[in-house]
Amino acid sequence: MNEAYDVIILGTGLKECILSGLLSVSGKKVLHLDRNDYYGAESASLNLKQLFKKFEGDDSKMDEQMFGASKSYSVDLCPKFLMGMGNLVKMLLHTKVTRYLEFRCVGGSFVYKDSSLFEVPVTPAAALNSSLMGLFQKRRYKNFLQWVLDVKEDDMKTWGKLDLKKQSMREVYAYWKCDDNTQAFTGHAIALYQDDSYLDDASRTLDCISRLQMYAWSLSRFEKSPYIYPVWGLGGLPEGFSRLAAVHGGVYMLRRDIEEIEYNGQGQVTGVKVKDEGSATCKQLIGDPSYFLQSKKVQKTGTVARWLCILDHPVEGTNNSHSAQIILPTKQTGHKSDIYVSVQSAELQVAPKGRWIAMISAEVYTSQPRKELQVAYKLLGSVLKDFFMVNDTYKAVNEQVDDNVFISSSMDASTHFEHTTKEVMKIYKQITGQDVDLNANPDSINDQ
């Protein structure tokens, strides 16, 4: 243990593992520690026995006759889908972690409106066929989407009569006569914004266009939905990164209790002290918020509830999809923020045949979180077994302090990786001064 490292990383959550892989590949000497006896931290994948032990204290009520074999489950505590042509896929390809994984396309992407589910239309043809909009709105939306796909950020001629550096998305929607419903599903289910603050901020207009294009390109590549998912769940990602780190000289250690994070007189991190094993030194430290709760380096940002349900049927309204993402926009539910549902099944090797895993997640604001998520729970139909969890979320508040400590934020409620990816890219640049290499071709995701 008494060695010097460039970077020590605390926690094997997805963000920490991606950074571990990127930094190892860039030549940094990395030590990666976790207090748990499994990879993944708050985003681990657990079998049925582990689920019962985690939520009910023991597995005595686990009925494999009813639920299927425990080992057939690989349930993500924080399920998120990968945008097929997105930056996270490019990072995985850059580090070559994909050689350890197999990805499959998610079966569909749906949005909630007027108590029903609708497939998200992202192509001009899909817009014309969608029952999400009335006849006139379909035509207007078709024209809007055609324009979006033709926009080039560096070619103002493609912008038409709009100035995308000066006009907000609200003005863009108004120009194309997109109504409130269309704006809601476009902003939340396609551009994947978690609130409506982007609507009146002209500096985010081109970002919104870029997000819409990314979704459309991913959809055209994978056809059923723009999302892909690793077979056997997200738990394969941290395990893949641990192999990668080992190849590049990094060291992973589980079941290690961190007694103390050590600093010099100027408040800069110098290393960590591990129970019964001594200390390791470092120049920089990365960690998830759980390692800093007793410090002044993090602050609470909210509370996320996740409702895990085991089903014996696909979710009604998802075209019998083996897997799906469902977004319930705030305007449709009255909830203060969007509610997300991810659905997975045996097709992704995360459950036995004939069983589906549905995870409802959202920020919650009252002492009755189940009641806040009830609108999504009702969509699932009969539920064989459910587990409910509530976690506080945190973010770093030490960014103005020269302490060489980089703290990721807690996993948000969304079922996609767009915020996660941006945060990883930001921390990587803060540590190395370099941008992440995103030149990999996402088309080759299963070729390595």
Side-chain angles (χ1 to χ4, degrees):
M1 177 59 71
N2 298 306
E3 274 193 59
Y5 294 87
D6 294 317
V7 183
I8 293 177
I9 301 178
L10 305 180
T12 53
L14 274 168
K15 295 174 192 176
E16 291 73 37
C17 286
I18 295 168
L19 283 163
S20 174
L22 291 170
L23 292 167
S24 295
V25 169
S26 75
K28 299 280 188 185
K29 185 180 180 183
V30 175
L31 171 65
H32 205 145
L33 305 170
D34 195 308
R35 63 170 76 87
N36 297 308
D37 60 358
Y38 53 83
Y39 292 107
E42 65 176 338
S43 46
S45 304
L46 305 182
N47 62 34
L48 192 62
K49 193 170 188 175
Q50 290 170 319
L51 280 175
F52 270 87
K53 281 187 174 179
K54 180 176 178 63
F55 292 105
E56 300 194 352
D58 65 65
D59 56 7
S60 60
K61 294 180 183 176
M62 185 185 75
D63 183 352
E64 290 188 297
Q65 292 293 317
M66 177 187 289
F67 302 122
S70 170
K71 65 181 181 181
S72 297
Y73 285 87
S74 184
V75 180
D76 292 320
L77 295 179
C78 188
K80 288 179 182 287
F81 296 131
L82 288 76
M83 187 69 74
M85 301 290 278
N87 285 336
L88 178 54
V89 169
K90 293 177 183 177
M91 287 183 203
L92 298 177
L93 287 164
H94 168 65
T95 58
K96 296 186 169 54
V97 164
T98 45
R99 73 180 69 176
Y100 308 119
L101 302 163
E102 178 190 344
F103 290 85
R104 290 186 187 163
C105 181
V106 172
S109 183
F110 300 86
V111 65
Y112 177 82
K113 177 184 175 248
D114 298 336
S115 303
S116 298
L117 297 181
F118 298 85
E119 198 146 10
V120 178
V122 189
T123 64
L128 286 177
N129 292 325
S130 175
S131 54
L132 191 55
M133 298 167 282
L135 180 62
F136 292 115
Q137 190 62 201
K138 283 182 186 180
R139 290 176 179 169
R140 291 165 183 160
Y141 197 56
K142 169 187 171 288
N143 294 334
F144 167 71
L145 286 176
Q146 192 62 63
W147 170 79
V148 164
L149 294 174
D150 290 339
V151 166
K152 293 182 175 64
E153 184 174 345
D154 57 358
D155 184 359
M156 293 180 68
K157 291 177 186 173
T158 64
W159 301 359
K161 295 181 180 179
L162 294 164
D163 186 339
L164 301 182
K165 290 190 175 176
K166 292 182 179 177
Q167 290 179 280
S168 68
M169 273 309 296
R170 193 183 297 278
E171 293 172 284
V172 172
Y173 287 138
Y175 175 82
W176 290 103
K177 297 183 170 60
C178 296
D179 64 20
D180 286 349
N181 163 59
T182 302
Q183 293 179 34
F185 78 72
T186 302
H188 292 253
I190 304 177
L192 303 177
Y193 288 111
Q194 296 180 17
D195 58 43
D196 286 335
S197 60
Y198 81 98
L199 276 172
D200 297 304
D201 184 349
S203 69
R204 297 168 75 180
T205 299
L206 281 167
D207 174 63
C208 181
I209 302 295
S210 174
R211 287 172 177 232
L212 298 177
Q213 290 176 338
M214 176 66 69
Y215 192 107
W217 293 334
S218 299
L219 182 66
S220 68
R221 168 67 177 83
F222 294 100
E223 296 182 3
K224 288 184 180 178
S225 85
Y227 300 107
I228 58 175
Y229 203 72
V231 175
W232 301 293
L234 293 174
L237 286 174
E239 289 180 29
F241 279 112
S242 69
R243 294 186 196 176
L244 177 75
V247 168
H248 289 271
V251 178
Y252 269 67
M253 295 183 180
L254 300 179
R255 296 182 294 276
R256 297 304 194 276
D257 287 328
I258 309 303
E259 283 193 331
E260 186 183 353
I261 298 172
E262 299 174 324
Y263 301 88
N264 63 20
Q266 287 74 49
Q268 295 172 320
V269 71
T270 57
V272 297
K273 187 177 179 183
V274 180
K275 186 178 180 181
D276 300 328
E277 295 194 45
S279 298
T281 63
C282 64
K283 299 169 188 172
Q284 293 160 315
L285 181 80
I286 298 171
D288 74 48
S290 69
Y291 290 89
F292 298 93
L293 295 181
Q294 307 307 314
S295 74
K296 295 180 179 178
K297 295 183 186 295
V298 295
Q299 74 177 27
K300 183 179 170 182
T301 54
T303 305
V304 170
R306 293 186 173 89
W307 201 342
L308 174 62
C309 302
I310 299 175
L311 316 176
D312 60 2
H313 56 271
V315 175
E316 187 177 345
T318 61
N319 303 333
N320 291 321
S321 295
H322 62 77
S323 55
Q325 172 177 259
I326 303 166
I327 296 180
L328 291 76
T330 175
K331 283 185 177 176
Q332 289 293 327
T333 64
H335 191 65
K336 284 185 183 178
S337 56
D338 293 353
I339 301 173
Y340 300 86
V341 185
S342 72
V343 183
Q344 301 155 340
S345 68
E347 180 77 14
L348 294 172
Q349 307 287 349
V350 299
K353 204 168 181 64
R355 295 291 178 264
W356 279 256
I357 306 293
M359 177 73 91
I360 304 165
S361 55
E363 286 192 58
V364 289
Y365 308 92
T366 71
S367 58
Q368 297 178 293
R370 285 176 187 258
K371 188 175 179 182
E372 293 183 61
L373 303 190
Q374 199 66 36
V375 62
Y377 185 79
K378 287 177 182 175
L379 292 174
L380 304 183
S382 60
V383 173
L384 293 179
K385 178 66 181 174
D386 67 307
F387 303 95
F388 197 86
M389 55 192 127
V390 178
N391 300 106
D392 291 335
T393 57
Y394 298 87
K395 71 171 184 180
V397 289
N398 67 321
E399 292 188 341
Q400 304 306 315
V401 181
D402 182 24
D403 56 6
N404 292 324
V405 174
F406 304 88
I407 305 170
S408 61
S409 61
S410 305
M411 280 292 194
D412 61 22
S414 72
T415 44
H416 54 77
F417 275 112
E418 296 317 290
H419 177 72
T420 299
T421 309
K422 282 187 170 66
E423 188 173 0
V424 166
M425 292 167 68
K426 178 183 172 185
I427 293 176
Y428 181 84
K429 186 163 187 178
Q430 287 174 330
I431 288 177
T432 66
Q434 307 288 318
D435 289 318
V436 177
D437 184 344
L438 297 174
N439 292 317
N441 178 9
D443 278 339
S444 59
I445 184 69
N446 276 328
D447 294 347
Q448 291 187 348

